[in-house]
Amino acid sequence: MKKLLVTGASGLLGLNLALKAANLSWDVTGWSGRRALARVPFSAEQVDLANPEDIPARISMFAPDLVIHCAALADIDQAEQHPALAERLNAQAPEALAFAARKTGAQLIHISTDAVFDGTRGDYRETDTPNPLNIYAKSKLAGERAVAEANPDATIARVVFYGWSLTGSRSLAEFFYNNLSAGKPVNGFTDMFFSPLYVGHLAETLLDMLQKRLSGIYHVFAPVSLSKYEFGVRLAREFDLDANLIRPISALDSDLPTRRSLNLSMNTEKLQAALGKPLPNQTEGLRALHADFDSGLRRKLLSFHH
Ligand SMILES: NC(=O)c1ccc[n+]([C@@H]2O[C@H](COP(=O)([O-])OP(=O)(O)OC[C@H]3O[C@@H](n4cnc5c(N)ncnc54)[C@H](OP(=O)(O)O)[C@@H]3O)[C@@H](O)[C@H]2O)c1
């Protein structure tokens, strides 16, 4: 059986992905960084990726057949404060991993972001020119370019997603769920648009992309975008919470510490054509988030915390 390596296995995407693949009987190993994982149904190891020069030896020792690289400095404000670390983790580490994967013959999906675009226009296709606005987005774009050059067969998957996480507070869905279920008012941006997939659907799609051996850049998003405010309202309705606790405000009137793109609606036609099926929409995503909550996924993920 082929060995799948998931980096960032303690993160929102990596953990859900490793779990999904393990449940589908893939042979999965998850590498996390500082956080150790306990009681997970896949092999788990802690491997620091902040020193890109160590990566080739780790990859040739482990010799995976398939790699999905989810590890990153993914906190936008942290990246702004630590630009050198962002460059190492988001650009140099993916480059080293892409070289190593090419050398050992492993198939690679590198995870990137919608934030490579400036959000002035929306409906972005893979062929549109990126224009990142902050350190995080610049370092992720540098990572994409380094991966494509080091390993032309690699897949670069631009994503944005929500779901249940190891800490219970990583994603936008958890932000709305936690506050609204505690009766706390929150702000929702009416002019910040995105096209998030439920992380369970994203995980399935990435595994599908591996099996189809897609290579090059793909937009892996929900087919229709919505504002962050509307997302909160729809989540509230799905969970029978009070949507009136969400104050509609403009992102321009808030004091976000780091500059962010406003209109990140994304065009997914290329991927839908390659997969031969539509990507899940927002109603399906929120329903799956709810169904996974009801079947105990949230509690299970929290229990993996060491
Ligand atoms: N969240 C989103 O909606 C979103 C949107 C666009 C793109 N993305 C991209 O999607 C990917 C996954 O994001 P996420 O939200 O799942 O991230 P996350 O929850 O912040 O997790 C980040 C992961 O990276 C690992 N990591 C960080 N520094 C490391 C190091 N020095 N060595 C080894 N591992 C390290 C972390 O491990 P420890 O915590 O154990 O140290 C953790 O497993 C990233 O590439 C991100 O840029 C995310």
Side-chain angles (χ1 to χ4, degrees):
M1 194 188 289
K2 287 187 172 176
K3 282 200 284 187
L4 168 65
L5 171 63
V6 175
T7 68
S10 48
L12 175 59
L13 175 57
L15 184 57
N16 281 278
L17 173 64
L19 192 60
K20 176 79 70 183
N23 288 341
L24 292 168
S25 303
W26 291 53
D27 175 4
V28 187
T29 295
W31 285 358
S32 62
R34 287 204 194 131
R35 292 178 286 178
L37 294 169
R39 300 169 292 276
V40 286
F42 52 84
S43 310
E45 272 184 66
Q46 284 175 269
V47 175
D48 186 8
L49 299 173
N51 299 312
E53 58 281 7
D54 298 341
I55 291 176
R58 296 296 306 221
I59 291 292
S60 68
M61 208 156 63
F62 182 63
D65 300 292
L66 312 164
V67 181
I68 304 185
H69 179 47
C70 306
L73 181 54
D75 180 310
I76 294 177
D77 300 327
Q78 283 282 322
E80 205 66 18
Q81 284 159 26
H82 305 283
L85 183 61
E87 173 69 19
R88 264 209 322 279
L89 272 169
N90 296 348
Q92 292 169 9
E95 179 178 32
L97 193 61
F99 266 122
R102 185 176 175 188
K103 210 165 155 203
T104 59
Q107 196 186 329
L108 170 68
I109 296 185
H110 169 65
I111 303 297
S112 189
T113 173
D114 54 354
V116 295
F117 296 109
D118 59 19
T120 50
R121 205 200 68 205
D123 195 33
Y124 292 107
R125 289 176 187 270
E126 289 82 350
T127 45
D128 286 327
T129 308
N131 182 29
L133 297 184
N134 53 48
I135 301 277
Y136 165 74
K138 284 179 187 162
S139 67
K140 292 293 289 184
L141 179 61
E144 281 189 5
R145 290 183 170 157
V147 166
E149 199 171 319
N151 188 339
D153 289 336
T155 312
I156 292 163
R158 292 184 179 143
V159 302
V160 69
F161 51 89
Y162 59 89
W164 306 116
S165 68
L166 186 67
T167 54
S169 58
R170 170 71 181 108
S171 84
L172 188 66
E174 292 172 313
F175 165 78
F176 282 118
Y177 177 84
N178 293 342
N179 283 296
L180 300 181
S181 55
K184 291 188 188 156
V186 288
N187 292 333
F189 298 138
T190 51
D191 50 0
M192 200 178 256
F193 291 87
F194 69 152
S195 311
L197 276 177
Y198 171 51
V199 73
H201 290 149
L202 174 57
E204 285 162 8
T205 306
L206 292 169
L207 296 177
D208 215 1
M209 291 168 73
L210 265 186
Q211 283 173 317
K212 291 205 159 60
R213 300 192 72 95
L214 302 185
S215 73
I217 300 181
Y218 280 90
H219 284 179
V220 194
F221 300 95
V224 179
S225 73
L226 76 179
S227 72
K228 297 210 167 172
Y229 168 73
E230 200 184 333
F231 177 79
V233 169
R234 292 187 63 168
L235 180 139
R237 289 202 191 113
E238 175 63 44
F239 286 87
D240 214 8
L241 297 167
D242 184 3
N244 292 320
L245 288 169
I246 310 173
R247 261 190 312 262
I249 67 157
S250 164
L252 302 173
D253 293 337
S254 83
D255 50 2
L256 287 173
T258 308
R259 197 169 162 221
R260 288 162 200 243
S261 311
L262 286 181
N263 183 356
L264 289 176
S265 63
M266 306 297 284
N267 189 298
T268 54
E269 281 169 14
K270 180 183 175 189
L271 180 59
Q272 300 196 81
L275 295 177
K277 62 179 183 194
L279 288 153
N281 63 30
Q282 238 28 271
T283 307
E284 292 167 303
L286 287 166
R287 245 185 235 148
L289 177 81
H290 196 171
D292 279 347
F293 179 92
D294 287 346
S295 65
L297 179 67
R298 183 173 207 220
R299 240 179 306 119
K300 187 192 262 183
L301 296 181
L302 293 171
S303 79
F304 293 154
H305 214 233
H306 211 277

